[in-house]
Amino acid sequence: MKVAKFGGSSLADAPQIRKVCKIIMDDPERRVVVVSAPGKGVTDDIKVTDMLIAAAKATLEKGLAAGTEEMEKIVARYARIAADLGVPEVMEDIAPAFRSLLSLHETLPPARFTDVLKAAGEDNCAKLVAACLTKMGKPAVYVNPGEAGMVLTNDFGNARVLPKSFDLLAKSLSGISEIVVFPGFFGRTEDGEIVTFPRGGSDITGAILTAALKADVYENFTDVDYVYSVNPKQVANPRPLTVVTYREMRELSYAGFNVYQEEALLPVYKTGIPVNVRNANNPSCPGTLIVPERGAFEDGRRVAGIASDSGFTSIYVSKYLMNREIGFGRRLLHILEDEGISYEHTPTGIDDMTVIVRDSMLSDEKLARIQRRIYNELGADDVQVETGLSLIVVVGEGMKHSIGIAAMATQALSQAKVNISMISQGSSEVSMVFAVKTEDCERGVRALYEAFFMND
Ligand code: ASP
């Protein structure tokens, strides 16, 4: 049995939704279908989720009339899709479901109100897809996540699944004989309130259902044929990844591979069920399989991919005889914790330590305060801040116990005249991280791709 999840671009309009229904009907093992809200498509260049966020904002900031104007655009979009699919009658349910939401701003706090609106995109899309499948001859039912047992923490806009959900979902979904169409992206809190995952969270819903139902595979349909070994925007026609491990995928998505919501691997990772990333516009392509373990690449390559991301700052701290001072590292990290900052890497020297942080965690004011605190509280000799950094990550399980990977990487970067500000390799040896100036990043990525994929 397969759980199949379809992203917003695969559901943007009626022709796309019909395509999705055909894919579902082509394989009798596709029993549970998770849908996003309609995304960007040929006729609409805006995602329904963004339209719903705009409607929530307009209501909260300008009042009901402004919110209604935004909401009517959404109702019109669903009405057009329903009419084109030949199921206009579903609008009798969908239109009032959307329209009834705006008045909730009077009773709900803003974050809860916004989540209720965001969730309605996937919720009503699932009703459309169920109606379309049934009309095409494959009986399907819409299932409400809250009722089915998708119980989440009450972090609005950033929810996490609660362990009890897995059993509840397995119980409520296993007896259904029709195709289950399950809206992604949201669930309910213990108190029964609607709450959403972070953006892109329909991937998480699909992974949870896969684990709960112990499916054989989780098919994640998107709009690319494969996950590639490097971002196709940086290197033309890169090598596709046919098989990749969870750990490799996690490292790649950490640094900019956005094919898949990064938190979504967790529920399937725990069960070892493979994930198959596929293209809804090219369903005959086998796509990328994400698995717990893989053998060596057939061509002997040791590296799976190269990823990069920009927007990092490094805070360099040095103090003579730091290495003898018990608790220095802890106290430095405690200052960051105190300022509400999570850090990414902490490469160390003998008497110095650098902490790499995402820019989104910092403001100028915070940075100045941190610098002052490091001088005052830790008695540091020198604190230097460097902004405008990018990280390049070379990823591959095959790097383990393999000699010469770092040499190849640094040689490629030096030939491309890229200065390395920091190198970090965890002892797992699955990835090697290089911090470089952002203006050198793309050149560095290309040089590394050439070294590992065209020459290695
Ligand atoms: N519709 C939501 C978003 O745009 C969730 C998803 O598509 O996965 O983030």
Side-chain angles (χ1 to χ4, degrees):
M1 176 277 208
K2 297 175 179 172
V3 171
K5 181 257 163 182
F6 293 87
S9 63
S10 312
L11 300 156
D13 49 32
Q16 286 294 89
I17 291 181
R18 243 187 241 110
K19 227 187 259 178
V20 163
C21 291
K22 174 102 190 18
I23 291 172
I24 298 164
M25 293 165 76
D26 276 351
D27 186 341
E29 287 181 14
R30 293 184 180 125
R31 309 276 326 142
V32 175
V33 178
V34 175
V35 295
S36 282
K40 290 184 193 177
V42 190
T43 42
D44 303 87
D45 62 356
I46 179 162
K47 288 174 155 204
V48 162
T49 308
D50 291 322
M51 297 170 85
L52 285 159
I53 292 170
K57 209 162 168 264
T59 313
L60 292 168
E61 287 171 7
K62 298 188 200 139
L64 202 56
T68 304
E69 199 177 306
E70 297 296 329
M71 188 57 98
E72 285 310 310
K73 293 182 202 159
I74 299 163
V75 174
R77 182 156 171 193
Y78 278 73
R80 200 176 65 231
I81 298 176
D84 291 350
L85 289 175
V87 290
E89 65 285 355
V90 284
M91 288 311 291
E92 284 164 30
D93 179 7
I94 291 176
F98 274 125
R99 288 184 179 131
S100 66
L101 300 178
L102 291 183
S103 61
L104 295 173
H105 83 284
E106 287 164 12
T107 45
L108 296 180
R112 278 172 53 194
F113 172 66
T114 306
D115 263 17
V116 170
L117 260 67
K118 276 154 74 186
E122 342 295 276
D123 201 42
N124 290 300
C125 185
K127 293 177 195 164
L128 274 180
V129 173
C132 182
L133 272 169
T134 307
K135 175 153 178 110
M136 286 170 79
K138 190 89 190 168
V141 285
Y142 151 84
V143 171
N144 180 283
E147 287 165 17
M150 181 66 84
V151 191
L152 312 181
T153 60
N154 61 358
D155 303 296
F156 295 93
N158 195 26
R160 277 165 199 273
V161 67
L162 290 175
K164 61 155 78 158
S165 296
F166 293 90
D167 279 348
L168 288 171
L169 288 163
K171 249 186 231 126
S172 53
L173 299 184
S174 50
I176 302 178
S177 57
E178 297 96 332
I179 304 274
V180 167
V181 186
F182 199 101
F185 194 35
F186 75 97
R188 66 162 170 89
T189 65
E190 299 261 35
D191 296 335
E193 290 163 329
I194 288 177
V195 62
T196 69
F197 290 118
R199 292 298 302 266
S202 298
D203 283 344
I204 307 177
T205 305
I208 293 167
L209 294 186
T210 301
L213 299 171
K214 301 188 175 58
D216 298 305
V217 60
Y218 173 26
E219 290 183 314
N220 197 288
F221 282 91
T222 165
D223 51 10
V224 289
D225 279 347
Y226 295 99
V227 178
Y228 291 92
S229 46
V230 69
N231 185 341
K233 287 189 190 130
Q234 292 173 323
V235 174
N237 304 317
R239 193 189 292 250
L241 281 168
T242 48
V243 188
V244 65
T245 67
Y246 294 134
R247 289 206 299 178
E248 288 170 331
M249 197 59 220
R250 161 77 185 118
E251 302 270 351
L252 291 168
S253 48
Y254 163 77
F257 273 46
N258 295 328
V259 177
Y260 197 71
Q261 215 281 354
E262 59 176 349
E263 280 174 47
L265 280 177
L266 189 65
V268 274
Y269 173 77
K270 287 189 176 158
T271 57
I273 299 169
V275 179
N276 192 188
V277 177
R278 307 186 63 155
N279 189 352
N281 299 317
N282 185 16
S284 61
C285 176
T288 299
L289 209 54
I290 311 174
V291 294
E293 310 272 342
R294 66 164 165 76
F297 284 116
E298 63 288 355
D299 56 3
R301 251 176 325 111
R302 294 166 291 177
V303 168
I306 294 157
S308 66
D309 203 5
S310 57
F312 293 90
T313 291
S314 72
I315 305 170
Y316 164 88
V317 182
S318 78
K319 184 178 180 186
Y320 195 66
L321 290 184
M322 179 197 285
N323 74 329
R324 303 244 191 103
E325 196 174 319
I326 293 173
F328 188 93
R330 179 187 52 75
R331 284 187 288 139
L332 174 60
L333 296 178
H334 182 76
I335 293 177
L336 294 177
E337 184 181 346
D338 219 29
E339 299 286 342
I341 290 170
S342 78
Y343 67 93
E344 305 293 315
H345 303 275
T346 52
T348 54
I350 296 181
D351 282 340
D352 57 70
M353 187 168 169
T354 303
V355 187
I356 301 209
V357 175
R358 281 192 194 267
D359 291 349
S360 55
M361 288 271 150
L362 295 166
S363 63
D364 289 349
E365 191 197 333
K366 220 176 217 188
L367 203 49
R369 194 169 53 234
I370 290 169
Q371 242 174 315
R372 255 194 331 269
R373 287 188 63 180
I374 297 174
Y375 277 121
N376 296 342
E377 294 171 30
L378 305 183
D381 298 329
D382 192 15
V383 184
Q384 301 281 341
V385 170
E386 189 177 354
T387 55
L389 292 177
S390 288
L391 298 184
I392 304 180
V393 189
V394 178
V395 178
E397 301 264 5
M399 287 161 40
K400 213 173 295 170
H401 311 306
S402 164
I403 294 170
I405 304 266
M408 268 175 81
T410 49
Q411 194 188 2
L413 290 172
S414 91
Q415 275 169 1
K417 307 239 171 324
V418 174
N419 178 52
I420 304 167
S421 314
M422 183 280 298
I423 304 181
S424 164
Q425 189 204 259
S427 31
S428 66
E429 290 188 62
V430 178
S431 70
M432 209 176 282
V433 182
F434 300 93
V436 302
K437 284 253 167 246
T438 294
E439 61 262 31
D440 294 341
C441 178
E442 224 173 288
R443 203 165 72 251
V445 168
R446 275 199 294 272
L448 288 168
Y449 182 80
E450 257 166 51
F452 287 110
F453 290 86
M454 290 156 84
N455 305 331
D456 186 22

